[in-house]
Amino acid sequence: MPPPRRAGVGEQQALPGTNPPEYQDVVTPGDTDAEWAAKQAAYAAALAAHDAATQLDAEVMAAFDAALEAERQKVDRIAIAGRVPVNVLGARPGDYIVPVQDGAGIKGIAVREDDLTMKQYLHAVGRVISIEPDGRAYVMVKAA
């Protein structure tokens, strides 16, 4: 918002040494044309500097967001704690989800608690707490 122009203000002031008091009109001058032009110029310069800084910030943020998205595309997102659905079918509540070799990759299998070895337990990602409507296991992730 541009600065307001200060207008001249008129008021009455009592004259010293008068009884009863006598008053005189006193005018406090406002901005001259030169002062007003200087205020306008300062405002325009500040506004231009703000607009330039805002544009630069937007460009820097756009570059950061693009770099962030490029890096994010290089990794899979994983859950580190909590409850998550996993793409393991045929599991039952209480089963443990254990990672196993699947060709060049890995996959998870459901292992019943009674069949679980200590090594499998140590590598398990979590325990099935329910089955989703689409058949996937819903797992409480184990804290490592």
Side-chain angles (χ1 to χ4, degrees):
M1 178 171 198
R5 184 170 186 172
R6 191 182 68 206
V9 176
E11 61 182 350
Q12 288 192 334
Q13 291 182 349
L15 291 172
T18 58
N19 191 8
E22 294 178 22
Y23 295 91
Q24 71 178 5
D25 290 331
V26 177
V27 176
T28 304
D31 292 334
T32 65
D33 288 342
E35 291 170 333
W36 177 240
K39 282 185 177 180
Q40 289 289 79
Y43 173 76
L47 184 61
H50 176 268
D51 290 344
T54 301
Q55 179 64 31
L56 178 62
D57 182 60
E59 291 168 2
V60 169
M61 282 305 297
F64 174 81
D65 288 342
L68 177 65
E69 181 61 21
E71 291 301 314
R72 191 193 65 74
Q73 292 294 328
K74 296 177 183 177
V75 296
D76 288 330
R77 293 180 218 163
I78 60 170
I80 57 170
R83 298 178 296 185
V84 294
V86 294
N87 293 330
V88 175
L89 301 174
R92 295 187 314 198
D95 290 353
Y96 285 86
I97 303 299
V98 177
V100 295
Q101 186 75 37
D102 183 29
I106 59 170
K107 69 176 183 178
I109 61 167
V111 178
R112 309 272 184 257
E113 184 176 16
D114 294 339
D115 300 332
L116 192 66
T117 66
M118 185 61 168
K119 184 176 181 181
Q120 287 175 323
Y121 174 76
L122 292 173
H123 290 101
V125 294
R127 192 169 193 179
V128 177
I129 56 174
S130 66
I131 304 299
E132 295 285 293
D134 63 359
R136 293 182 302 156
Y138 200 67
V139 173
M140 176 64 73
V141 179
K142 184 176 80 168

